[in-house]
Amino acid sequence: MPKISDERRSERVEQILEGARRCFAQHGYEGATVGRLEEEIGVSRGAIFNYFPSKEDLFLELAVRDSARMSELWINEGLEAVVREVVELDPAWLSVYLELFRRVRNDPDFRTRIESRQKEVAPANRERIEQAQRDGEFRDDIGAKEIGTFVNLVLNGLALMRAGGEELPSTELVLSLLRDAIGGARRDTPLRRRS
């Protein structure tokens, strides 16, 4: 059997992931049966599972890639770029994240798998916040962890609203409120640092 080139292998992986993303977005995790995945991706189950051992592995890879992409955007282009990206994401795909959160909460093995894959991005995100604090872009009277948690709350809230079809506030308003909350100089009533 001839060996597939690295370039062709990479193309096939991307084809599988793009089709799986469409299938999960259309049918949800549970509804994305192997038959539907085959149909949407356009390759046999043997080909799919040659690259990804299970449907869960496909799902996990998509979630980890999204997280890494958001992290890169945050690090390279800043908070505004991330907020704009979340506001533009496909609502059908965002609704799949509800399944991700449920699985993380209820399935310890899945939680361990996703946490181990996402450990790569956490230090870079924290360093980005700490650098923004040193540069005066973010307030420095609270810890980087608290700022990261707050930003995640806002981004997850936007994603949830978008997934649910709710009308979002303007991106400019969200950014203005975020800047007011975490931006610049120390506040008159500093919060206790915990990280």
Side-chain angles (χ1 to χ4, degrees):
M1 182 177 228
K3 186 173 185 301
I4 188 169
S5 72
D6 288 343
E7 181 180 335
R8 181 65 186 125
R9 181 175 175 72
S10 179
E11 289 172 1
R12 180 55 60 100
V13 166
E14 294 308 314
Q15 175 190 1
I16 291 169
L17 289 171
E18 287 172 21
R21 180 184 296 275
R22 288 189 306 269
C23 191
F24 288 133
Q26 183 175 358
H27 302 287
Y29 180 80
E30 297 300 329
T33 62
V34 173
R36 285 178 170 159
L37 284 164
E38 283 180 299
E39 186 177 318
E40 188 64 46
I41 296 168
V43 298
S44 71
R45 68 186 62 203
I48 295 168
F49 296 123
N50 183 47
Y51 293 92
F52 297 94
S54 67
K55 179 173 85 167
E56 180 178 274
D57 287 296
L58 272 169
F59 187 59
L60 182 69
E61 183 64 25
L62 287 166
V64 168
R65 282 181 174 218
D66 280 358
S67 179
R69 186 172 51 78
M70 287 296 187
S71 179
E72 283 180 34
L73 200 57
W74 161 259
I75 290 165
N76 297 324
E77 299 181 36
L79 185 58
E80 182 174 331
V82 176
V83 170
R84 291 189 188 288
E85 179 72 10
V86 169
V87 168
E88 295 299 318
L89 286 172
D90 175 18
W93 173 246
L94 286 172
S95 67
V96 174
Y97 270 91
L98 298 175
E99 175 66 18
L100 175 74
F101 294 143
R102 186 190 68 75
R103 302 269 323 269
V104 166
R105 187 184 72 239
N106 295 328
D107 183 339
D109 292 333
F110 185 79
R111 180 177 45 251
T112 299
R113 289 183 71 201
I114 202 160
E115 285 174 353
S116 71
R117 293 282 310 275
Q118 291 185 327
K119 280 183 182 178
E120 304 160 11
V121 300
N125 289 340
R126 185 180 185 103
E127 174 54 34
R128 171 66 175 90
I129 294 170
E130 290 170 349
Q131 185 61 50
Q133 288 177 306
R134 288 189 294 273
D135 293 345
E137 178 186 353
F138 292 167
R139 58 193 290 179
D140 63 359
D141 60 329
I142 56 176
K145 182 178 180 181
E146 285 77 17
I147 289 176
T149 298
F150 179 74
V151 170
N152 277 334
L153 284 169
V154 173
L155 295 174
N156 287 340
L158 286 171
L160 184 60
M161 288 178 71
R162 181 123 170 96
E166 294 182 50
E167 186 176 336
L168 296 177
S170 76
T171 303
E172 288 69 29
L173 176 61
V174 171
L175 288 167
S176 175
L177 292 171
L178 269 170
R179 286 185 199 107
D180 283 350
I182 65 171
R186 276 183 201 262
R187 303 295 182 244
D188 291 334
T189 55
L191 298 173
R192 188 182 76 210
R193 265 180 110 89
R194 286 190 276 185
S195 63

